[in-house]
Amino acid sequence: MSEVASRQSASKTMSRSEERAHEADHPSSQYVVFGPDKPLHLDCGVDLSPFQIAYQCYGRLNADRSNAILICHALTGDQHVFNTHPITGKPGWWKTMVGPGKPIDTDRYFVICSNVVGSCMGSTGPSSTNPATGQPWGLDFPVITIPDMVRAQAMLIDHLGIRKLFAVVGGSMGGMQTLQWATAYPERVFAALAIACGAKHSAQNIAFHELGRQAVMADPDWRQGRYFEHGVHPRRGLGVARMAAHITYLSDAALHRKFGRRLQDRDEPTFSFDADFEVESYLRHQGSSFVERFDANSYLYLTRAMDYFDIAADHNGVLAQAFLGAKTRFCVISFTSDWLFPGSEARAVVHALNASSARVSFAEITTDKGHDAFLLDEPELFAISHAFLESAASTHGLNAAS
């Protein structure tokens, strides 16, 4: 049987590392445990059982359960999309898009966001306790894929008693999940808003992910993925991985606008390898803050899941076949300065949707903010998302009063 549980925030006396480890099994959110009678069938051939999914809900589910929106988070995101993060104390990661009066209006919609399987904020992953050993899974955890994440989310949606989602929304890895939802469960998704993503991971993106994984695994504290047993964490390696990845989330124009070649708190260079430039200091801060909230092994697993993603591969290499007969209404959004998921990849998805006679709208937003534009204050993104959801809601029979 499935069982639901929740708990209060971890003790304030804990260090952030201790809080992070505690969140893996006892998240500061709702969570559901699926027992041996409800295993998660993974693409690698393993049945994961028992396992749990941590999630947050915002707004109210209407009487006919027709106003639910599932938000799928990106690589290093989590379920805390609108509320204060329990470890960092920072606002939710998508408060620009989610909340009362925002494009994803919590006064109108019932919004669900779950932590993906393989992550470290309460859904079962490599930092969770392996029931067979009583120790963290580490690299004994099976390799997972984007379709595995979506199957787990579908089990959560079933548990919540929701037959059909009004919309699935996500950016980056969340956009991948959105597209996977629309191909795996087309009858359960009325509208899909996929932002800054593609139908597969490119060779360049796989290369960047491998760079990050090698940085983690080269850290002496990684200990073949068993750092928990030694009371250490591969902070340096994970920090470098985050620094390298963060560069891909920005653009040259954004870096120039924010930092240029300005020196950090000095008038002259030190002629050393200290962080002379503001951009260096910024990247080091990104790396050091990231390791406080994220698990290194989860980083390996989730980047690998993105690498394996290729919708067309399951449809004879023809992307349009994945969307044949789709009744879902699609909106695909890209950004001109996103070189991680360039507009050409979004247009490939749109062309496949057009070829399958699906309903689709497409927008390429002009901005210099890079891939991370979907997380930032981008008025055109808000306007397009709002208009798409409003139109879909009207067609779906959702009015403001509901």
Side-chain angles (χ1 to χ4, degrees):
M1 292 292 292
S2 300
E3 110 189 16
V4 181
S6 62
R7 72 167 193 87
Q8 299 298 318
S9 297
S11 168
K12 293 182 180 179
T13 60
M14 286 185 179
S15 69
R16 285 191 174 180
S17 295
E18 290 171 326
E19 287 180 359
R20 184 185 65 242
H22 199 261
E23 287 287 327
D25 288 324
H26 308 285
S28 299
S29 64
Q30 294 172 288
Y31 62 93
V32 56
V33 177
F34 294 97
D37 60 325
K38 293 185 177 181
L40 177 61
H41 304 297
L42 303 178
D43 283 343
C44 68
V46 172
D47 282 352
L48 183 62
S49 178
F51 76 100
Q52 73 181 34
I53 296 291
Y55 65 100
Q56 290 279 24
C57 296
Y58 314 91
R60 300 181 68 177
L61 190 62
N62 62 9
D64 60 2
R65 297 174 178 263
S66 62
N67 68 332
I69 293 181
L70 175 67
I71 293 178
C72 302
H73 69 72
L75 172 64
T76 62
D78 49 49
Q79 68 271 37
H80 302 289
V81 65
F82 180 62
N83 59 286
T84 300
H85 196 282
I87 293 178
T88 66
K90 294 181 178 179
W93 58 267
W94 222 9
K95 288 193 73 174
T96 54
M97 276 279 281
V98 180
K102 301 290 178 65
I104 302 175
D105 191 345
T106 52
D107 285 340
R108 183 175 188 183
Y109 305 116
F110 180 64
V111 180
I112 309 155
C113 185
S114 67
N115 191 217
V116 297
V117 171
S119 193
C120 54
M121 287 297 290
S123 293
T124 299
S127 60
S128 306
T129 299
N130 181 347
T133 64
Q135 298 294 322
W137 277 93
L139 296 195
D140 292 333
F141 192 72
V143 172
I144 49 94
T145 64
I146 300 294
D148 293 335
M149 297 174 187
V150 170
R151 287 188 202 99
Q153 290 165 352
M155 293 174 70
L156 170 64
I157 299 305
D158 287 340
H159 173 80
L160 295 175
I162 298 169
R163 185 185 65 82
K164 186 171 185 175
L165 291 162
F166 164 59
V168 180
V169 181
S172 193
M173 188 183 84
M176 290 178 166
Q177 295 165 66
T178 299
L179 294 176
Q180 180 63 30
W181 259 99
T183 57
Y185 304 100
E187 73 287 350
R188 301 192 66 176
V189 182
F190 184 78
L193 176 56
I195 309 169
C197 66
K200 63 182 178 182
H201 223 207
S202 69
Q204 176 178 261
N205 289 345
I206 294 170
F208 275 116
H209 277 172
E210 177 62 4
L211 169 65
R213 288 190 293 265
Q214 288 299 319
V216 171
M217 293 187 286
D219 190 319
D221 285 337
W222 184 60
R223 308 289 180 95
Q224 300 301 309
R226 299 193 177 279
Y227 43 86
F228 285 102
E229 299 173 16
H230 300 274
V232 296
H233 193 248
R235 301 173 60 87
R236 290 165 292 181
L238 183 59
V240 170
R242 176 62 171 180
M243 290 168 66
H246 198 74
I247 296 170
T248 71
Y249 303 152
L250 304 173
S251 69
D252 179 57
L255 285 169
H256 180 76
R257 171 169 45 82
K258 293 177 69 168
F259 307 108
R261 289 181 51 83
R262 292 188 297 274
L263 298 176
Q264 176 72 27
D265 299 328
R266 62 201 63 179
D267 297 322
E268 299 291 338
T270 63
F271 297 99
S272 71
F273 295 104
D274 194 8
D276 274 6
F277 295 95
E278 284 184 1
V279 67
E280 293 176 306
S281 179
Y282 170 75
L283 287 176
R284 292 185 186 191
H285 170 73
Q286 289 293 325
S288 62
S289 60
F290 179 65
V291 302
E292 298 295 336
R293 68 174 179 86
F294 211 81
D295 174 60
N297 283 339
S298 282
Y299 192 81
L300 304 184
Y301 277 82
L302 298 188
T303 55
R304 189 45 120 192
M306 292 182 71
D307 292 349
Y308 283 145
F309 186 62
D310 184 355
I311 292 179
D314 293 328
H315 299 274
N316 302 314
V318 181
L319 184 57
Q321 290 186 7
F323 301 110
L324 283 176
K327 304 300 184 193
T328 302
R329 305 167 74 91
F330 292 86
C331 180
V332 179
I333 299 176
S334 66
F335 303 102
T336 54
S337 55
D338 184 353
W339 57 281
L340 193 64
F341 287 97
S344 58
E345 296 195 15
R347 284 190 290 273
V349 173
V350 174
H351 292 159
L353 287 165
N354 283 328
S356 65
S357 301
R359 293 174 176 266
V360 57
S361 56
F362 171 61
E364 186 169 27
I365 296 172
T366 301
T367 176
D368 71 353
K369 295 174 184 174
H371 180 67
D372 263 1
F374 79 96
L375 297 171
L376 304 175
D377 186 5
E378 191 58 63
E380 193 172 353
L381 170 65
F382 305 153
I384 293 169
S385 300
H386 174 76
F388 171 70
L389 292 174
E390 280 292 306
S391 175
S394 177
T395 305
H396 196 47
L398 293 177
N399 54 42
S402 69

